[in-house]
Amino acid sequence: MQSLALQESTGKEKKTMAEHRFWNTQPVPKHDENITDMGPIEPSIPVDQVSKELTALPKEFEWCELDMTIEKDAKELYDLLTLNYVEDDEAQFRFDYSVNFLKWALQPPNWRKDWLVGVRVASNKKLVAFISAIPVQLRTFDKSTLMTEINFLNVHKKLRSKRLAPVMIREITRRSHIHGIFQAVYTAGAVLPKPVSTCQYFHRSLNPKKLVECGFSRIPQSWTLARMIKHFKVPEKTSIPGFREMQQKDVPEVLVLVNKYLERFDFAPQFETNADVEHWILPHKDVVWSYVVEDPTTKKITDMVSFYSLPSSVIGNPKHKTLNAAYLFYYGTDIISKGTEDKHEDGTPKLLSKRLNELVGDALVMAKRLGFDVMNGLQLMDNGLVLQQQKFGAGDGHLNYYLYNWRCPDVDDKKVGLVML
Ligand SMILES: CC(C)(COP(=O)(O)OP(=O)(O)OC[C@H]1O[C@@H](n2cnc3c(N)ncnc32)[C@H](O)[C@@H]1OP(=O)(O)O)[C@@H](O)C(=O)NCCC(=O)NCCS
């Protein structure tokens, strides 16, 4: 299957450092730097010395904060993003995060309203740009740091290339500094100085006919649509005994399971409390679906797998308006405690590979049942053990991971354990 992947259309080709008028003034590594140590690039500023002044904006604009508990604010942000956020290179698809998704993504434990930063036109108060930060405890190799996770940077299409993005980034940096946080993590399709890791997108078709009609997939040469539909058929029922939807009572066990699993990676979040797991992993209506395996004998939770819903608007298609995409999210299995030494010839740990294929296979069954057209995933965590067997195809897109003010050696894609929304 050939498929398109959503990615930012800006800056696919690498600029030289001198051409990065903004980024070459920031504490980020240069493109050609080979980093072998870890730590801040510039020292933290004493909090009382952080500027209290808002970053200067062109005079026709003003800063605002969006309160996602207020329906009007949430809807305004939705309207900005649904018309102006990330598109693929051919402008066929545009991310269409739902209002409920945005409320969920922007209000995790310890969220702050002053980190949900908008820009309005001063004269008519129209929202024309946005950037957000949420707190994340991120471990890079053996060091764990409280950072801000920056996301949903967006400037209205009519205001592009006016250097508004650097102003947004400076302001969110200042607001991070005010709260004593001097490091950040962010992702982009754009190539900026300098990715700590780059992961390729993969897509598992669940509704081949619609994907072909939308121009997301093509029928492989010498195949028919009927053959494609048969190829991508998923079983009606899940396969693992004890596989069921995650419930509130599972939270403490899932906290231990997922943190233990994330220890396998060099670049991973730490879920610190039950509240974190309750927020990020417990099913959230129309946003996140999570399943656990409860051992039928011991009643212990042995595995967890989850995915989230991120539809895309299909632009200018006469038949379809929306592509319903599920994205593979966090998972974990206690099979790792049973040893991963027994390996196939290619080095794949046998038990882990078998278990993850069962888990993701069952997640695909659920996603199909829920009406998703495609399951997307990145080549990170242990996804490489399942992508081929579960009939994911490589997409055109890549996602770059970046750190702000944190030197860190390159991280192999298989060692990335942070899934950003
Ligand atoms: C990304 C976006 C906000 C950039 O705004 P813009 O009007 O195109 O660019 P501006 O003139 O304001 O700023 C250009 C600077 O921002 C940088 N930039 C562009 N995209 C960026 C990104 N995703 N993250 C960080 N910096 C980015 C550019 O590299 C450039 O800096 P440089 O000169 O040092 O290289 C805008 O293109 C947009 O809203 N795109 C659609 C949504 C999107 O892709 N969001 C980013 C998701 S990661």
Side-chain angles (χ1 to χ4, degrees):
M1 183 182 72
Q2 277 199 301
S3 56
L4 302 166
L6 287 163
Q7 61 174 30
E8 298 79 359
S9 51
T10 46
K12 250 191 134 185
E13 60 301 326
K14 228 196 242 179
K15 291 189 203 170
T16 65
M17 215 49 212
E19 288 168 327
H20 284 294
R21 267 167 53 205
F22 169 64
W23 282 110
N24 71 13
T25 65
Q26 299 297 300
V28 292
K30 314 263 176 290
H31 276 307
D32 55 3
E33 238 177 293
N34 178 29
I35 305 173
T36 52
D37 58 333
M38 230 176 354
I41 295 171
E42 59 184 33
S44 307
I45 315 160
V47 171
D48 59 358
Q49 285 173 30
V50 177
S51 167
K52 306 275 181 303
E53 300 289 314
L54 290 165
T55 311
L57 269 174
K59 64 173 182 334
E60 60 270 40
F61 302 113
E62 63 189 28
W63 293 108
C64 70
E65 287 169 12
L66 290 185
D67 184 342
M68 299 303 283
T69 63
I70 296 175
E71 217 50 45
K72 182 178 142 292
D73 282 21
K75 179 68 172 46
E76 268 186 294
L77 177 59
Y78 170 79
D79 288 342
L80 173 72
L81 297 182
T82 193
L83 294 174
N84 299 282
Y85 200 48
V86 177
E87 296 179 4
D88 66 300
D89 277 350
E90 277 85 37
Q92 278 183 292
F93 307 98
R94 185 166 54 241
F95 281 147
D96 184 23
Y97 291 90
S98 69
V99 170
N100 279 345
F101 190 109
L102 294 170
K103 288 183 184 172
W104 169 73
L106 297 173
Q107 296 178 102
N110 305 317
W111 69 278
R112 312 189 52 91
K113 188 157 82 74
D114 58 326
W115 282 352
L116 307 184
V117 183
V119 169
R120 294 185 188 278
V121 176
S123 58
N124 61 14
K125 308 296 175 212
K126 185 181 162 65
L127 183 71
V128 288
F130 182 73
I131 192 165
S132 69
I134 54 170
V136 60
Q137 190 69 39
L138 186 79
R139 180 177 53 77
T140 51
F141 297 90
D142 61 349
K143 287 207 169 100
S144 176
T145 313
L146 179 61
M147 301 193 184
T148 44
E149 186 174 309
I150 307 298
N151 207 344
F152 302 109
L153 168 62
N154 192 205
V155 168
H156 192 286
K157 286 187 175 204
K158 292 210 167 119
L159 298 172
R160 296 278 167 87
S161 303
K162 295 181 189 301
R163 312 300 299 180
L164 209 48
V167 181
M168 312 285 301
I169 296 167
R170 283 186 206 280
E171 178 60 12
I172 202 81
T173 303
R174 187 186 71 84
R175 291 176 186 226
S176 182
H177 288 178
I178 284 182
H179 298 287
I181 301 180
F182 295 89
Q183 275 71 40
V185 57
Y186 50 106
T187 53
V191 181
L192 309 165
K194 163 196 184 244
V196 59
S197 194
T198 299
C199 304
Q200 188 170 12
Y201 275 105
F202 280 76
H203 313 277
R204 202 306 182 176
S205 175
L206 295 168
N207 187 350
K209 182 167 179 287
K210 180 169 168 189
L211 295 189
V212 169
E213 286 169 355
C214 289
F216 188 89
S217 312
R218 291 174 208 101
I219 304 176
Q221 250 188 351
S222 79
W223 280 39
T224 59
L225 179 61
R227 179 170 173 200
M228 203 173 170
I229 292 171
K230 192 161 167 237
H231 177 78
F232 287 117
K233 204 165 162 29
V234 293
E236 310 236 312
K237 290 201 177 124
T238 58
S239 68
I240 310 176
F243 186 92
R244 61 162 173 81
E245 200 168 333
M246 181 183 167
Q247 298 168 17
Q248 177 79 38
K249 66 174 185 191
D250 305 321
V251 165
E253 273 184 276
V254 169
L255 174 71
V256 176
L257 182 77
V258 77
N259 276 333
K260 182 83 202 135
Y261 199 80
L262 288 171
E263 283 174 16
R264 293 173 54 72
F265 309 111
D266 293 334
F267 189 95
Q270 288 173 296
F271 293 100
E272 297 201 281
T273 61
N274 285 339
D276 288 338
V277 167
E278 203 173 312
H279 180 84
W280 288 119
I281 300 185
L282 196 62
H284 193 95
K285 194 174 168 348
D286 299 335
V287 176
V288 188
W289 287 262
S290 311
Y291 302 90
V292 293
V293 178
E294 179 182 315
D295 185 302
T297 327
T298 63
K299 306 288 175 216
K300 215 176 145 293
I301 303 301
T302 55
D303 314 75
M304 182 281 294
V305 63
S306 58
F307 52 84
Y308 62 81
S309 164
L310 167 48
S312 279
S313 307
V314 185
I315 304 167
N317 187 289
K319 192 159 173 195
H320 300 288
K321 294 274 159 287
T322 301
L323 192 70
N324 294 312
Y327 284 71
L328 201 52
F329 198 33
Y330 289 102
Y331 52 79
T333 168
D334 78 352
I335 210 94
I336 49 171
S337 63
K338 301 192 172 77
T340 46
E341 293 78 37
D342 194 9
K343 297 196 166 112
H344 289 291
E345 271 169 28
D346 64 357
T348 316
K350 283 186 184 169
L351 276 178
L352 179 61
S353 169
K354 178 168 176 290
R355 191 49 156 186
L356 289 183
N357 273 288
E358 291 166 348
L359 273 176
V360 173
D362 281 356
L364 288 170
V365 170
M366 298 312 300
K368 173 72 189 170
R369 218 184 270 173
L370 289 160
F372 287 101
D373 301 317
V374 61
M375 172 84 81
N376 295 334
L378 286 158
Q379 173 110 28
L380 44 65
M381 297 205 278
D382 286 314
N383 293 358
L385 300 181
V386 304
L387 295 174
Q388 203 182 356
Q389 199 173 323
Q390 297 306 320
K391 301 181 178 169
F392 283 76
D396 301 342
H398 289 82
L399 189 67
N400 299 299
Y401 279 74
Y402 298 98
L403 290 166
Y404 185 92
N405 195 21
W406 189 251
R407 289 172 63 78
C408 175
D410 289 351
V411 175
D412 191 277
D413 53 3
K414 292 179 213 59
K415 289 289 179 182
V416 173
L418 175 72
V419 184
M420 277 195 51
L421 303 172

